[in-house]
Amino acid sequence: MTLYEWAFEFCKQRGMLESEAFEVVERAMLHPATVGVRGRWGESYDS
């Protein structure tokens, strides 16, 4: 499971609809605070 997939599932498990979870994760990817992990969204979340 990638970091992106994990974040998406994390949101859904807490009650978000798929469309909401998608929007949250997409916005998180673009947020300035996540600049350090932008290249890692496709990596395994447990590595």
Side-chain angles (χ1 to χ4, degrees), residues 11-40:
C11 291
K12 285 184 10 184
Q13 289 173 0
R14 280 147 184 82
M16 288 187 183
L17 300 172
E18 283 194 17
S19 60
E20 294 170 327
F22 175 78
E23 183 70 26
V24 167
V25 175
E26 289 295 314
R27 286 182 182 222
M29 289 175 64
L30 299 174
H31 194 278
T34 63
V35 72
V37 296
R38 284 193 182 146
R40 302 187 67 194

